[in-house]
DNA sequence: CGCTAGGTTGATGGGAGTCAATTCGCGTGG
DNA sequence: CCACGCGAATTGACTCCCATCAACCTAGCG
């Protein structure tokens, strides 16, 4: 629960979990989505009180992992520790994607980006049928993920359906036009940018100080 | 640069860095802000191509740290590895805050939340003068952080000034009414919630499977 | 059979984006 | 010293995307 101490993490075996934050006026934002294989709650291990809530999107089966094992893992199993770190970094990159989507794109792009992310996850998880994916998210869940209202999510889904891009109904996503979906989503997920735009970097090259690598603890 | 391989991290000594993502239509979103002591670029260490751009907000002095040292750190200096992980988790929590702010609160709350975050950072970094903080962010930077336009950021700053809550001008933040600022920001940063709202958790308690702790690699 | 959660659709309003003009401070060069 | 340019700040007018409110439908379920 948000605000109460949470000395545990969850390793997901089946089902989907979500990590969300509730604001004062009652609104909620889902900050991350977790499918089987994910370790949930890792990012708040060093905090006395949990900042977020973990709840199940669908029925779920999890293993409970105590925070206290982490020290031992780092001391005795460095490869495992590094693996955990990589998983955590993937979560962080996913968070960055979501922030960009919510902060800088309109409603249709956000919903499209979510669909794209779910398809990518499904493929990365070894899923077969690229054109038809079962997803337990409800429209209110989509709204909490995208920073929209469920009413508007509904309209965006209808638009994607009517434009022949994707159909998400009855818990199943069917992408009919992947190229159009990516175009609407508006964010490159993998491809390099054609223009490298240096932005404001040149300004500060003056004060740079290069040292041989080495980390100060 | 976004899309190009980036085999390095930066340890900030002086100045501020930002990590941002550019979308197709030209808009940009700053996903994280880094002050002296931070290690930037850590979250994308395992990726072949960088997803984000790192650029300097002000003139900066940094040390360059190669990604390749990470394996050695994990093998030989577990405490340091754990420290790095904690820093990374703090970044992730900051990202979650920003996502919630952008996704679920209005413009005045986002700007207030940013001010609150900057004040908190300043205090955590051992800053003294609580009522007057020098910050190198320009209004366009604030816009890229909050998912707003610089025009609207300006209006929100004026509103905070006219309401006697905070004054941010000429690169200096002066918080006049911290309580009002926190109220406007709308998100509890530390305090526990009074109401524990179970939300949809009860639904799934049926399928839970508790096992003794232990991690499957 | 009523209850409830979710889905669907329409009407309306407001918050924030967009466009545009003005001002200000600062560095740069004539 | 002043003209010029530029980035940033500021302000106003207008537009539009999305939230809000509200009604209705459907399916599942006790």
């Amino acid at each position: 629960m948000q605000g109460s101490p949470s000395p545990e993490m969850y390793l997901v075996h089946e089902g989907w979990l979500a990590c969300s934050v509730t604001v004062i006026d009652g609104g909620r934002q889902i900050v991350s989505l977790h499918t089987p294989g994910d370790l949930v709650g890792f990012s708040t291990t060093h905090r006395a009180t949990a900042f977020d809530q973990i709840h199940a999107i669908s029925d779920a089966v999890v293993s409970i992992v105590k925070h206290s094992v982490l020290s031992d893992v780092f001391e005795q199993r460095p490869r495992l520790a590094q693996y955990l770190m990589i998983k955590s970094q993937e979560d962080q990159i996913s968070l960055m994607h979501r922030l960009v989507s919510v902060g800088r794109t309109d409603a249709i792009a956000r919903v499209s980006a979510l669909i794209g992310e779910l398809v990518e996850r499904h493929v990365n998880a070894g899923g077969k049928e690229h054109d038809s994916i079962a997803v337990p998210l409800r429209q209110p869940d989509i709204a909490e993920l995208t920073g929209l209202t469920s009413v508007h999510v509904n309209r965006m889904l209808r638009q994607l359906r009517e434009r022949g891009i994707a159909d998400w109904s009855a818990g199943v996503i069917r992408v009919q036009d992947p190229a159009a979906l990516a175009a609407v989503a508006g964010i490159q997920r993998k491809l390099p940018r054609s223009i490298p735009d240096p932005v404001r970097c040149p300004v500060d090259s003056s004060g740079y100080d290069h040292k041989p690598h080495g980390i100060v603890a």
Side-chain angles (χ1 to χ4, degrees), chain A residues 139-160:
Chain A
Q139 286 181 9
D141 298 321
I142 303 172
E144 293 188 359
L145 277 163
T146 53
L148 301 168
T149 59
S150 63
V151 174
H152 207 60
V153 165
N154 183 292
R155 285 193 256 259
M156 296 302 104
L157 290 179
R158 178 154 67 104
Q159 192 181 126
L160 287 177

Side-chain angles (χ1 to χ4, degrees), chain A residues 7-11 39-40 62-70:
Chain A
E8 296 170 344
M9 301 176 288
Y10 304 97
L11 179 60
L39 185 62
V40 188
V62 302
S63 293
I64 293 182
V65 182
K66 294 210 185 328
H67 284 174
S68 53
V69 305
L70 280 181

Side-chain angles (χ1 to χ4, degrees), chain A residues 5 14 19-20 40 42 44 58 61 67 82 84 135-136 138 146 155 158-159 168 173 186 199 204-205 215:
Chain A
E14 293 173 26
C19 195
S20 64
V40 188
F42 180 71
T44 49
S58 64
V61 180
H67 284 174
Q82 198 164 6
L84 287 180
V135 171
R138 314 270 164 207
T146 53
R155 285 193 256 259
R158 178 154 67 104
Q159 192 181 126
W168 185 346
I173 298 177
V199 203
D204 45 88
S205 55
I215 305 176

Side-chain angles (χ1 to χ4, degrees), chain A residues 64-113:
Chain A
I64 293 182
V65 182
K66 294 210 185 328
H67 284 174
S68 53
V69 305
L70 280 181
S71 291
D72 292 341
V73 169
F74 271 81
E75 295 289 349
Q76 294 158 20
R77 303 193 54 186
R79 307 298 297 178
L80 177 54
Q82 198 164 6
Y83 171 79
L84 287 180
M85 194 199 63
I86 289 175
K87 291 290 278 182
S88 172
Q89 289 174 351
E90 285 172 0
D91 288 347
Q92 196 161 341
I93 288 171
S94 179
L95 252 174
M96 288 164 60
H97 271 113
R98 200 176 308 291
L99 174 59
V100 172
S101 180
V102 171
R104 282 260 123 35
T105 70
D106 59 12
I108 190 71
R110 292 184 213 176
V111 175
S112 301

Side-chain angles (χ1 to χ4, degrees), chain A residues 111-129:
Chain A
V111 175
S112 301
L114 176 62
I115 294 176
E117 182 190 332
L118 294 173
V119 170
E120 192 180 329
R121 265 176 188 252
H122 181 258
V123 172
N124 287 347
K128 299 296 157 61
E129 316 142 19

